[in-house]
Amino acid sequence: MNSFLTSKWTKAVVFVLCCVPFGVLFWRAFHNGLAGFPDNMDFGANPIEFITHRTGDWAIRFLVIPLAIPPLRQLLRQRQLIRFRRMLGLFAFFYACLHFATWIGLDKQFDWTEMWKDVLKRRFITVGFTAFVLMIPLAVTSTAGMIRRLGGKRWRALHRLIYASAILAAIHYYWLVKSDVRKPLMYATFITILLAWRLVVWARDRGQHFPQGTAPTRRQAEVPST
Ligand code: HEM
């Protein structure tokens, strides 16, 4: 199992799997109406809504999956699982960018005044926008060089923003659905459990990892625990 998780091929396969939702979306954009796809994969009457929903769904999934890695790593006793967390987090940002770009380009057609009004007035847009903005410093500082430059302590403090972003994303989802709140509540429950787990671990380990002033090594930089 360990050699499977450390293989560069496994990482490549996970990368390709993470690209599949984008590939399917891209494919549908150019082959809309082709037989062989289930109904729920059809672009339907409102392609913009379809793309917004699909990219939003994948953004929130990829936000939650990396949060589950530290507890899974402990439960399954598979330390190497952490190797995948940064990549999965970056895919969350990638799908959130597509989601946001769909809103900017296709939905609002670059009408900046209208967009700004929406950000200020519609509460689900306000929190979605905030969730997205919080992801930007995380994506920018995800390289090994940036981790070393910031130092383990500051990097970890900054990357705790991922929990805030995930909570806001769940609120965004909850506020935008009209009737069936089961899915947003499911995400909110997952995030709450993962955050609670994290708080227990932080309380237990406070101050033990990376003593002050100690920047992580390259290997640690790949797997710093937030
Ligand atoms: C971390 C960032 C974000 C995440 C994870 C996220 C997630 C989601 C999810 C899960 C949905 C619902 C998908 C479904 O119903 O199947 C959604 C819908 C939507 N999101 Fe986001 N979102 C984010 C940021 C944003 C931003 C920045 C905007 C625009 C400023 C935005 C605008 C929308 C809109 C317009 C919808 C569709 C609303 C409707 O159907 O009435 N989202 N988003």
Side-chain angles (χ1 to χ4, degrees):
M1 183 70 167
N2 212 34
S3 58
F4 171 75
L5 290 176
T6 49
S7 157
K8 64 175 190 232
W9 292 109
T10 311
K11 213 165 179 180
V13 169
V14 174
F15 180 87
V16 172
L17 287 176
C18 293
C19 292
V20 167
F22 174 69
V24 170
L25 206 55
F26 196 76
W27 173 270
R28 293 304 301 154
F30 290 97
H31 299 83
N32 197 16
L34 268 194
F37 277 92
D39 281 352
N40 70 347
M41 305 260 283
D42 200 329
F43 263 40
N46 190 341
I48 298 174
E49 192 179 293
F50 180 92
I51 300 172
T52 307
H53 285 211
R54 275 299 142 107
T55 48
D57 281 339
W58 283 104
I60 198 163
R61 283 173 196 151
F62 279 112
L63 256 178
V64 175
I65 297 169
L67 298 184
I69 287 189
L72 278 179
R73 186 178 171 225
Q74 226 173 47
L75 283 172
L76 304 175
R77 293 175 203 280
Q78 293 298 333
R79 290 181 61 78
Q80 295 301 332
L81 272 176
I82 209 78
R83 294 182 67 234
F84 302 94
R85 190 173 59 171
R86 180 166 45 165
M87 181 166 71
L88 293 166
L90 284 171
F91 269 103
F93 185 63
F94 171 65
Y95 283 103
C97 285
L98 290 180
H99 184 64
F100 192 34
T102 308
W103 183 74
I104 294 177
L106 300 180
D107 196 358
K108 298 291 168 190
Q109 306 201 334
F110 302 99
D111 183 340
W112 302 105
T113 323
E114 176 69 18
M115 276 186 256
W116 192 238
K117 261 197 234 157
D118 254 13
V119 169
L120 296 180
K121 277 204 184 137
R122 300 174 76 187
R123 59 179 190 170
F124 88 89
I125 297 282
T126 315
V127 288
F129 183 74
T130 313
F132 178 73
V133 169
L134 291 182
M135 292 172 89
I136 297 172
L138 307 187
V140 170
T141 58
S142 67
T143 61
M146 281 304 279
I147 299 168
R148 268 198 304 276
R149 211 168 301 160
L150 279 175
K153 200 174 174 189
R154 265 188 298 171
W155 188 90
R156 284 199 314 281
L158 177 69
H159 277 250
R160 282 175 197 144
L161 280 180
I162 193 69
Y163 288 94
S165 180
I167 291 165
L168 291 174
I171 297 172
H172 166 69
Y173 197 177
Y174 183 81
W175 276 345
L176 74 88
V177 292
K178 271 110 200 155
S179 51
D180 189 353
V181 292
R182 276 177 303 177
K183 266 167 65 178
L185 282 183
M186 179 194 79
Y187 283 114
T189 311
F190 266 135
I191 295 162
T192 309
I193 294 170
L194 295 170
L195 178 61
W197 181 87
R198 202 61 237 187
L199 288 173
V200 171
V201 173
W202 279 331
R204 204 190 55 199
D205 297 351
R206 221 166 52 168
Q208 278 182 13
H209 300 294
F210 302 125
Q212 200 163 9
T214 313
T217 62
R218 188 175 169 74
R219 180 139 194 85
Q220 285 165 332
E222 197 179 26
V223 297
S225 107
T226 42

